[in-house]
Amino acid sequence: MATDRTSLKLTDERKRLFDQATEIVAADDHDDPPRSDVIDAALTHLIESKANLNDVRNEYPPQTVKDCCNTPVIGLRYRTSIESKWR
């Protein structure tokens, strides 16, 4: 089980990702949502994306799913023919 952490080290790359995600979550150019809201939205999206991938994996060929939904964030394993690793 993962341990709870109370702080994040914000490298330049992580700060850039937070800034990009904040732009997506913000209601308009003047909105500055807290990082916790940005993290909640990103986690929700990740979980929903995995559920969506699981829903279509038996309906479409693995290469089609990979071509349409490929992301380096989610570890995908479609049968034995396609594998994408994060990190």
Side-chain angles (χ1 to χ4, degrees), residues 8-10 13-24 34-36 38-39:
L8 293 172
K9 180 179 178 187
L10 290 181
E13 176 64 11
R14 188 171 282 161
K15 173 80 168 82
R16 186 184 68 75
L17 291 172
F18 259 117
D19 291 344
Q20 288 180 331
T22 298
E23 289 176 14
I24 294 168
R35 285 204 171 121
S36 60
V38 176
I39 292 169

Side-chain angles (χ1 to χ4, degrees), residues 45-46 48-57 60-78 82 84:
H45 178 71
L46 180 65
E48 289 174 351
S49 294
K50 183 174 182 187
N52 291 339
L53 286 170
N54 286 337
D55 287 346
V56 300
R57 67 186 293 171
Y60 300 96
Q63 188 64 47
T64 301
V65 175
K66 181 181 180 294
D67 291 344
C68 294
C69 305
N70 193 24
T71 174
V73 176
I74 299 176
L76 304 174
R77 199 173 286 198
Y78 292 104
I82 298 173
S84 175

Side-chain angles (χ1 to χ4, degrees), residues 1 5 7 12 18 20 25 28 31-32 36 43-45 52-53 56 58-59 61 64 68 70 75:
M1 180 182 230
R5 294 186 181 188
S7 64
D12 290 342
F18 259 117
Q20 288 180 331
V25 174
D28 56 40
D31 189 19
D32 186 20
S36 60
L43 292 172
T44 299
H45 178 71
N52 291 339
L53 286 170
V56 300
N58 293 323
E59 293 181 40
T64 301
C68 294
N70 193 24

